[in-house]
Amino acid sequence: TRGPGHGQARRISTEVVVQGQSQAAGGEEADSEVSARIKTFTEVQAEGLEQAQKTVLISYPTGISKKSILQYLSHHGRINSYFFYKGHGHHAMVEFSEKESVGSLQDVAQIAGSSVPGIPFKSRLFTLTPRQSLGQALDETSIPDYQHPTIPMEDLVQKLCCADSISNQLYSLLNEHQLTEENMKLRFLACSLIQDLARAYFPECVVKPFGSSVSTFGKLGCDLDMFLDFDEIGKSPTPKKTGPFHVEYQIKRMPSERAATQKILSVIGECIANFSPGCTHIQKILDARCPLMRFFHQPTGFHCDLTANNRIALRSSELLYIYGNFDSRVRALVFGIRCWARTHGITSSTSGPWITNFSLTMMVLFFLQKRKPPILPTLAELKNLADAEDKHVIGGHDCTFVSNLNKINQTENTETLDVLLNEFFEYFGNFDFGSKSINVREGKEHSKPEPSPLYIQNPFEQTLNISANVNQNQLDRFVALARECAWILQQVNQDHGQGGKQPWGLAAILVPPVIGSKKKMAKSMLTSARLKALLDSLRADIANKKGERAFS
Ligand code: GTP
Ligand code: MG
């Protein structure tokens, strides 16, 4: 095993109790081989989407016993897993063993007549109301509501202070922030519900999650990136003998692939806006380099970005998935650095000249490739290990790399995360950003092909820079803060164990220390850097009115 924290790659084994019986979710035997190794990205996607299609989301009023809901639903079929949660009202996510059970429930569901007219769309979102008043709710305590764990920063810092090494601090942070199985299930469900709508137009399309939701680097609360995949429709069948004629579909022609994507997203977006229950705040951002539809999916609580024709981004997510699962230190370090960057305003939830989480993750991966011996293989090495079925060329770009993690030799590097965190800041605090670019494909720096302040070569579209949006001010801040943090880490590490109450290690760089003159100095440096950041970013924001996400 590669240590703790495999996140989504772990087998989901939700225990459910329905009508007094306990059963483990999922088929056992058929999966035994798969569970012995880490699943491939494709397997995780396929499993998540398949489960999501057997899932319904029930909303119900206060006062109904959860057991009675489960008992009622189990008349429609065996329940594989479920959980209850509070979002906009009370919800139950219920996954059946068979897809037919969803149909069975749809058969008894009514389009409620009410004074307010509605769109008669049969979704998998249902409301359950008791036919007659049920009196006192039963067994409410026996099935607790699931809650996405959220820990306020102060509590997190306190918790981190109790750990006995930076390594354990980083794993602790990872445990607090990583996506839970329930959260993952909701993400797949949200995609599957949007897919139901999109299939009204394109019956074979698939809506897949990508980005941090599935790359193993997702933090609770991160957006849900969705990808409308037409690959199945586009695939030509093996040529059949059709007599003397070649048969072809007549299709609507568009001036460009981009125009086609814009049109599709625009129409599906209208459909989501007009017909989908629970989708609000719809924004069409069709002029961005990567056109997208943004909306809020109220029942699951996710901010969603729907794109189409974005296969390279899906491959990027798979590459991150490979790296994230390769060695347990990778995710722990990435989560730590992402959290540090967010705390100091290096990354931001709005678009602009900031370093993005995606770029920052690439920087961590590059740093780990540069260790001696390397902790991570280069993309070129991953390509050399690829099978025939791993071969992917998308729009002329080579996106080939191995998908089976077992084929990659484990690293001989045994450095602790205590060392790696400090070295990360040292490394980038002294990196020659002025003349060098970061290249994850080769695992080495190259001369910058053009003068962007930060140049991180897109691993697949190799002539592009994924951090082209970053301005010099933001890069300077990153470097200054990296240097400060390297210094703080060295200082406070010496103090660790002397009293034990002071923030130290990771905690010290997440919240600047307040006691002691050196530490006060560090605090004021960090605070002034933050103020400067705010001003820089405001200026940059004005200069950069275009504001949409800068995809390369
Ligand atoms: P968070 O949402 O911040 O947690 O991270 P994320 O990795 O999901 O980033 P984001 O939602 O911004 O983008 C989703 C995916 O789009 C990323 O994982 C990448 O695959 C891709 N992507 C994002 N930004 C860029 C970019 O600048 N260039 C390229 N080529 N792809 C990008
Ligand atoms: Mg995202």
Side-chain angles (χ1 to χ4, degrees):
T1 163
R2 295 172 198 270
H6 284 147
Q8 297 84 351
R10 255 182 278 119
R11 216 179 108 62
I12 290 171
S13 58
T14 318
E15 281 282 318
V16 294
V17 182
V18 181
Q19 292 180 316
Q21 290 175 342
S22 173
Q23 72 220 17
E28 295 315 279
E29 284 74 33
D31 283 354
S32 61
E33 237 179 63
V34 177
S35 60
R37 60 171 169 80
I38 297 168
K39 285 178 189 161
T40 64
F41 182 78
T42 312
E43 286 166 347
V44 174
Q45 287 265 341
E47 183 181 281
L49 290 170
E50 203 202 314
Q51 287 174 343
Q53 285 196 290
K54 299 174 190 164
T55 303
V56 294
L57 205 51
I58 309 286
S59 124
Y60 61 96
T62 319
I64 304 187
S65 126
K66 291 169 180 165
K67 275 198 174 164
S68 72
I69 293 177
L70 291 176
Q71 245 157 25
Y72 170 72
L73 291 176
S74 66
H75 294 312
H76 291 277
R78 214 167 71 121
I79 293 173
N80 212 18
S81 74
Y82 66 81
F83 59 90
F84 291 83
Y85 66 98
K86 279 194 204 118
H88 283 263
H90 294 277
H91 292 284
M93 198 219 73
V94 178
E95 179 199 330
F96 289 105
S97 297
E98 308 295 332
K99 202 161 174 239
E100 290 66 43
S101 309
V102 175
S104 163
L105 188 60
Q106 281 174 328
D107 284 346
V108 298
Q110 294 181 350
I111 304 273
S114 104
S115 51
V116 186
I119 307 286
F121 174 65
K122 293 189 172 178
S123 75
R124 281 180 284 138
L125 299 171
F126 301 94
T127 304
L128 234 63
T129 36
R131 287 189 190 281
Q132 26 184 292
S133 158
L134 286 178
Q136 270 294 23
L138 301 167
D139 304 322
E140 278 311 278
T141 48
S142 62
I143 308 177
D145 276 329
Y146 162 78
Q147 278 188 316
H148 300 318
T150 46
I151 182 163
M153 199 48 155
E154 304 86 74
D155 297 356
L156 178 65
V157 166
Q158 278 203 344
K159 194 169 180 174
L160 297 182
C161 288
C162 300
D164 58 4
S165 63
I166 292 184
S167 175
N168 284 338
Q169 288 184 324
L170 284 163
Y171 283 121
S172 182
L173 179 116
L174 174 65
N175 276 334
E176 293 295 337
H177 282 177
Q178 71 184 343
L179 301 181
T180 59
E181 285 179 358
E182 289 84 353
N183 194 283
M184 283 299 295
K185 278 177 178 276
L186 276 180
R187 284 172 189 266
F188 276 107
L189 176 60
C191 288
S192 171
L193 293 171
I194 297 302
Q195 177 178 284
D196 284 353
L197 272 168
R199 283 192 173 183
Y201 286 99
F202 304 102
E204 285 154 306
C205 76
V206 182
V207 175
K208 296 175 175 171
F210 74 102
S212 59
S213 299
V214 285
S215 70
T216 75
F217 295 114
K219 175 178 180 287
L220 285 165
C222 69
D223 69 349
L224 171 55
D225 302 292
M226 299 174 169
F227 163 58
L228 190 53
D229 192 353
F230 295 105
D231 213 33
E232 283 306 311
I233 309 177
K235 267 186 198 151
S236 305
T238 18
K240 284 192 198 115
K241 286 232 160 84
T242 52
F245 294 104
H246 175 66
V247 188
E248 208 177 80
Y249 285 105
Q250 290 185 6
I251 56 169
K252 179 102 184 156
R253 299 283 166 192
M254 287 291 185
S256 66
E257 205 157 339
R258 179 179 166 81
T261 304
Q262 286 170 326
K263 183 60 76 191
I264 290 167
L265 279 179
S266 172
V267 170
I268 303 279
E270 281 301 311
C271 190
I272 292 173
N274 289 310
F275 306 145
S276 176
C279 289
T280 63
H281 299 84
I282 312 231
Q283 278 175 276
K284 288 185 186 179
I285 308 175
L286 301 177
D287 286 335
R289 180 177 176 268
C290 181
L292 70 126
M293 286 288 314
R294 185 162 282 173
F295 59 94
F296 180 62
H297 192 255
Q298 209 171 56
T300 54
F302 294 127
H303 294 275
C304 304
D305 278 353
L306 177 69
T307 60
N309 191 15
N310 198 8
R311 296 199 68 76
I312 292 191
L314 196 67
R315 287 299 281 169
S316 303
S317 307
E318 177 161 1
L319 180 64
L320 295 190
Y321 175 87
I322 296 280
Y323 283 132
N325 274 310
F326 182 70
D327 184 288
S328 63
R329 289 168 291 182
V330 180
R331 295 177 67 229
L333 189 60
V334 169
F335 271 74
I337 299 291
R338 279 190 175 200
C339 184
W340 164 80
R342 190 72 187 87
T343 307
H344 297 295
I346 290 170
T347 51
S348 165
S349 56
T350 55
S351 14
W354 297 272
I355 299 176
T356 61
N357 273 335
F358 182 57
S359 294
L360 195 59
T361 306
M362 286 294 176
M363 290 168 86
V364 180
L365 300 180
F366 180 74
F367 161 74
L368 295 173
Q369 290 176 330
K370 294 285 291 181
R371 302 307 296 163
K372 290 198 173 61
I375 293 180
L376 288 179
T378 65
L379 176 52
E381 286 163 346
L382 295 181
K383 184 186 162 186
N384 289 339
L385 295 169
D387 282 334
E389 74 257 24
D390 295 329
K391 194 170 159 58
H392 281 80
V393 178
I394 304 168
H397 302 288
D398 188 355
C399 303
T400 304
F401 56 85
V402 64
S403 58
N404 181 350
L405 273 145
N406 286 6
K407 289 201 183 155
I408 315 170
N409 283 337
Q410 294 204 22
T411 170
E412 285 165 11
N413 183 306
T414 55
E415 284 173 302
T416 63
L417 280 166
D418 298 50
V419 172
L420 292 171
L421 184 67
N422 200 340
E423 289 286 314
F424 174 86
F425 291 125
E426 285 280 346
Y427 183 77
F428 282 115
N430 296 296
F431 189 85
D432 180 8
F433 288 107
S435 65
K436 299 288 183 220
S437 69
I438 290 169
N439 183 322
V440 174
R441 181 168 279 271
E442 304 295 338
K444 50 176 175 261
E445 53 271 47
H446 286 250
S447 296
K448 274 204 292 194
E450 44 98 350
S452 294
L454 175 61
Y455 198 105
I456 305 175
Q457 192 196 57
N458 184 320
F460 302 119
E461 293 167 274
Q462 294 178 47
T463 54
L464 299 178
N465 171 13
I466 64 164
S467 49
N469 62 310
V470 177
N471 67 16
Q472 192 63 48
N473 279 334
Q474 292 303 320
L475 180 64
D476 291 346
R477 286 194 55 241
F478 169 80
V479 171
L481 280 163
R483 286 182 188 166
E484 288 305 323
C485 286
W487 182 79
I488 291 172
L489 277 178
Q490 283 154 20
Q491 302 307 305
V492 289
N493 285 356
Q494 289 166 8
D495 298 348
H496 174 222
Q498 296 168 10
K501 288 258 158 87
Q502 296 302 318
W504 69 280
L506 179 62
I509 60 165
L510 291 184
V511 166
V514 285
I515 303 165
S517 57
K518 272 186 194 166
K519 293 171 185 172
K520 260 188 191 157
M521 191 170 85
K523 184 195 177 192
S524 70
M525 279 169 161
L526 287 169
T527 314
S528 61
R530 256 194 260 183
L531 279 173
K532 185 169 178 300
L534 197 63
L535 287 170
D536 288 346
S537 301
L538 282 172
R539 277 189 216 115
D541 221 20
I542 295 164
N544 214 357
K545 282 227 174 64
K546 269 201 97 190
E548 302 309 347
R549 79 170 41 196
F551 268 27
S552 310

